[in-house]
Amino acid sequence: MTRTIPAARRRTVLGAALLASAALGVGLLSGCSAGQITQTDTQVAAVPGVSANSTDGLIALRDGAVAYSNEYKPGSVVPIEVRLFNNAKQSVKLTGVTSASGTVVLVGGAMPAAAAAAPAPTSAAPSPSSASPSAPRSGSGSPSAPASASKSPSAVAAPAPVGSAKMAVEIPVGGFVALSQSTKTYLAVEKLSGEVLMAGGALADVKFTFTYADGTTTELTLDELPMTVPLSPLPKPTSVVGHEGE
């Protein structure tokens, strides 16, 4: 004789089985994640520019890049944008930047008085003497030719410097500074040397020098400082569509 299990009891047994299965799944998931290092702590933000640390590991450079341009011709100013973080227990100053592509200066920051462009003095031509001896008249009575006045060359003022290679940008303890054109204080190669720097290119051998409050120094060297991408997408080239059947 076959016994039939009531419907209410079947629902109770099925519910208990589902609850046990859910609890087992939660236990397995918690066991897999325990003690594991997540990947988010090592991921780098998807932003243009390079990241590097100083030789002592206490100064961090982030988002370092050359401001975008279609090209920088030799002799032109090349803006550089960086963010500098101080993880040391004392304040530090950015005291110098060098590059194989030209002299790097600080634009928009406090410039030493000696770096300010002094106007070149203008040389005034000497005034002629009011009592000049009269030349003797010739027999024909023609007046003598006037003496030609000497022309003094006009002094050409030296061009004002873009910035100063002497810098002292302070980075507080646990803080950072952003050097970019948007903050009106940024680094720049004063006169690009060598070949034309095209879009997608990079400055070579850029070295940052930092000086701590106690007088010790550290350095941060980049083999290349690449150019950033344009803020807006470039226009796509017009595609040439051929006629079918040709």
Side-chain angles (χ1 to χ4, degrees), residues 65-67 72 75-82 94 96-99 101-109 161-167 169 179-181 184-193 197 203 206 208 225:
V66 174
Y72 289 104
S76 60
V77 178
V78 181
I80 299 173
E81 301 184 354
V82 295
L94 173 66
V97 184
T98 60
S99 173
S101 302
T103 302
V104 180
V105 296
L106 179 67
V107 183
V162 175
S164 175
K166 295 181 180 180
M167 58 190 73
V169 181
L179 301 177
S180 68
Q181 291 178 297
K184 308 301 182 183
T185 302
Y186 58 96
L187 301 170
V189 175
E190 190 170 31
K191 293 181 179 180
L192 180 65
S193 61
L197 181 61
L203 298 177
V206 183
F208 298 78
L225 185 62

Side-chain angles (χ1 to χ4, degrees), residues 120-207:
T122 56
S123 58
S127 60
S129 172
S130 58
S132 56
S134 58
R137 296 182 177 180
S138 60
S140 59
S142 60
S144 59
S148 60
S150 60
K151 297 181 180 179
S152 59
S154 58
V156 179
V162 175
S164 175
K166 295 181 180 180
M167 58 190 73
V169 181
E170 185 171 359
I171 312 171
V173 178
F176 78 99
V177 294
L179 301 177
S180 68
Q181 291 178 297
S182 60
T183 62
K184 308 301 182 183
T185 302
Y186 58 96
L187 301 170
V189 175
E190 190 170 31
K191 293 181 179 180
L192 180 65
S193 61
E195 301 178 352
V196 176
L197 181 61
M198 303 295 296
L203 298 177
D205 299 329
V206 183
K207 183 171 69 175

